[in-house]
Amino acid sequence: MEVAVSDLDIELDWISCEILIAINKNGQTATTSEIKRLTGVEEGTKVPYRMKSVLAPADLIELTRRGVDESGQNLPLKATLTDHGAALAQKFEEADDVADTRDVYTDKLNVRLTRIESQLDQLDTDGGPTDDSLSDIQNQIDELDEKIESLYQNMVRFRDYLNERDDGGYSEYVEQLENSAEG
């Protein structure tokens, strides 16, 4: 999901949007570690890259380095929303825009699932879940299961449509891709 931000000369991908939302939900300030946990985007440098190269230059966040720990390692960056960033994050939260491509939509569902798993892990370390939190998490899981099933059904319909329209051309194309990936 690329979001064209009308009064900015940038486009934000869904991870950048999720970062803004996470910072906003965390009281308008968060470290990279907190953002990774809140968004579920924990692999690699996806979060710090977007913070440094996209969001800060667009004046949506301000970054500060909190110093070093006792071993001399840099502490995580701290991001604070600017007024414009906070307004934009609020818009994204209200819209909760669903991705318009299946790959991005699948990625977004995976991130949400990772976020739920992270919440469960946090509950375990906090002394266990409450009935309300378990019910909320189960509702989120049920919602994700429904969306995944819907996505799967739409992908099957799309595949069948392409094969019917192109006399099996899509299946041949996928087979070629799989063969080239193996070889």
Side-chain angles (χ1 to χ4, degrees):
M1 163 184 67
E2 298 258 329
V3 178
V5 184
S6 60
D7 52 344
L8 297 174
D9 191 25
I10 62 168
E11 289 189 4
L12 298 179
D13 65 349
W14 69 271
I15 295 175
S16 298
C17 296
E18 288 292 322
I19 290 170
L20 291 175
I21 291 169
I23 296 169
N24 197 42
K25 286 183 176 180
N26 201 56
Q28 296 195 350
T29 187
T31 65
T32 51
S33 302
E34 292 169 328
I35 293 167
K36 287 179 176 185
R37 182 179 49 80
L38 291 167
T39 62
V41 180
E42 296 184 5
E43 66 276 355
T45 59
K46 291 181 178 186
V47 169
Y49 169 79
R50 282 169 178 81
M51 289 169 55
K52 293 176 191 174
S53 301
V54 177
L55 301 173
D59 197 33
L60 298 174
I61 63 172
E62 293 176 355
L63 295 174
T64 53
R65 176 71 67 186
R66 297 178 357 181
V68 294
D69 63 14
E70 56 277 350
S71 68
Q73 294 279 43
N74 284 332
L75 292 172
L77 280 174
K78 180 179 172 185
T80 304
L81 290 175
T82 62
D83 290 340
H84 190 69
L88 196 55
Q90 189 64 36
K91 277 186 188 178
F92 291 149
E93 271 187 85
E94 290 169 2
D96 195 28
D97 201 87
V98 176
D100 54 7
T101 65
R102 70 176 191 261
D103 293 337
V104 173
Y105 186 65
T106 302
D107 287 347
K108 191 169 183 178
L109 288 175
N110 286 333
V111 166
R112 288 182 66 192
L113 186 57
T114 302
R115 187 182 310 141
I116 291 169
E117 289 171 345
S118 176
Q119 290 171 348
L120 284 171
D121 290 344
Q122 187 65 34
L123 287 172
D124 285 343
T125 60
D126 288 345
T130 64
D131 288 341
D132 289 340
S133 64
L134 284 176
S135 176
D136 183 46
I137 290 170
Q138 186 60 50
N139 289 339
Q140 291 178 32
I141 290 170
D142 292 344
E143 180 184 325
L144 284 173
D145 284 342
E146 290 173 16
K147 288 181 179 183
I148 289 170
E149 178 61 29
S150 174
L151 176 64
Y152 175 77
Q153 293 300 324
N154 285 332
M155 289 172 63
V156 167
R157 284 187 209 105
F158 186 67
R159 180 205 60 206
D160 292 346
Y161 166 77
L162 287 175
N163 277 325
E164 185 176 315
R165 187 188 75 179
D166 298 331
D167 293 326
Y170 176 74
S171 291
E172 291 173 13
Y173 172 73
V174 170
E175 187 176 316
Q176 287 174 353
L177 283 177
E178 289 172 350
N179 289 338
S180 67
E182 291 173 1

